[in-house]
Amino acid sequence: MIYSLGSINADHFYRLSHLPTPGETLAVETCTRMLGGKGANQSIAAVRAGARVVHIGALGPDGNWMRDALADAGVDVTHVTEAGTASGHAIVMVDASGENTIVIHPGANRALNPSQIEDALRDARPGDWLLMQNETNCQGEAARIARSQGLQVAYSAAPFDVDTVRAVMPFVSLLILNAVEDAQLLQELSVVDVPIRLVTRGAKGAEWVDEKSGKAVLVPAFRVPAIDTTGAGDCFAGYAVAGLATGFAPAQALRRASAAAALQVQRPGASEAIPTAAEVDAFLNAHD
């Protein structure tokens, strides 16, 4: 079982010829609204990878359609509560090459409380996983509760904040960062005291670093034409943790996650673009 403490956002996508520069006004080519948020994306990715997922989060009174979308994707939404504030949302601008710029309003994602976390994790068992990122509050409380119950804790440290990472680190089993975040972390901290650091390096692939032994496993990326990179990191993280939770060795879990992300970036959108396990298997078979 994966318990996913994470954000749920309404993603407003605006596709443009290029990303605007300061002071520039551009007319969009298309605009759409989709379910997003790093937490929701990771939950859906983990479900499509074959894991059982319970999402822990909050929405405002305007968020029923997002709860329904999560449930329709196969995510358990029993512990998605309603807060007295608007749901989180994001403004996502995507250019012709697939690069993006994102602005986020946290909204209800920052309205969680420790009692909600305790209630959600009450039935968790040793060997289950807690998957988190940095778009909600209560990460520290959740990580502490999870570790006290014998869960593995995977923390996707984005958006990056060194103080938050430092507070959560004593409870983390698997720290997931991209190359920029990893460089920032190593610059701020002399010792990264976690068992495993998983670093995504874009076209260079992903690196699994065992901090105790110093050994590393590098899994190359698949070369594909990118249409939209939004949510690719979340897709990778959800697939990677689901792979580990369902018994794959690290190299195999990362290869599946890399294949899932390769499929994701060839489609527009975030959660709706996440591939199924069958699609990932077919892609891997074609690249053996």
Side-chain angles (χ1 to χ4, degrees), residues 2-9 11 35-47 53-58 70 75-76 80 104 109 112 131-136 139 156 158-159 231 233-235 237-238 270-271 274:
I2 295 174
Y3 293 86
S4 177
L5 170 64
S7 57
I8 310 170
N9 288 337
D11 280 353
L35 171 66
K38 296 187 72 62
N41 293 342
Q42 290 178 8
S43 288
I44 291 173
V47 163
V53 178
V54 174
H55 194 95
I56 308 168
L70 271 174
V75 178
D76 185 331
V80 175
I104 298 172
N109 294 312
L112 301 169
L131 172 60
M132 310 185 301
Q133 23 61 43
N134 198 27
E135 288 185 344
T136 71
Q139 293 106 331
S156 180
D234 299 329
C235 177
S271 64
I274 296 169

Side-chain angles (χ1 to χ4, degrees), residues 22-162:
E24 183 180 14
T25 300
L26 288 176
V28 303
E29 297 172 356
T30 61
C31 61
T32 54
R33 184 188 74 170
M34 299 181 185
L35 171 66
K38 296 187 72 62
N41 293 342
Q42 290 178 8
S43 288
I44 291 173
V47 163
R48 291 189 180 162
R52 295 169 59 205
V53 178
V54 174
H55 194 95
I56 308 168
L59 290 165
D62 56 334
N64 287 338
W65 69 272
M66 289 184 274
R67 180 184 285 104
D68 292 343
L70 271 174
D72 290 345
V75 178
D76 185 331
V77 295
T78 303
H79 296 285
V80 175
T81 61
E82 184 172 311
T85 186
S87 301
H89 67 262
I91 305 299
V92 185
M93 293 181 287
V94 184
D95 71 10
S97 69
E99 289 299 321
N100 63 64
T101 299
I102 304 173
V103 178
I104 298 172
H105 170 63
N109 294 312
R110 299 283 185 181
L112 301 169
N113 60 74
S115 62
Q116 179 185 353
I117 308 298
E118 291 174 356
D119 183 54
L121 294 178
R122 186 166 290 119
D123 296 328
R125 297 288 182 267
D128 289 343
W129 283 75
L130 173 66
L131 172 60
M132 310 185 301
Q133 23 61 43
N134 198 27
E135 288 185 344
T136 71
N137 61 327
C138 288
Q139 293 106 331
E141 294 92 335
R144 176 183 53 79
I145 294 168
R147 290 300 294 159
S148 71
Q149 295 180 206
L151 276 69
Q152 300 290 320
V153 177
Y155 179 55
S156 180
F160 182 79
D161 177 81
V162 69

Side-chain angles (χ1 to χ4, degrees), residues 266-287:
Q266 296 180 74
R267 306 167 177 176
S271 64
E272 295 184 7
I274 296 169
T276 64
E279 290 175 314
V280 171
D281 288 340
F283 180 88
L284 287 171
N285 289 336
H287 287 79

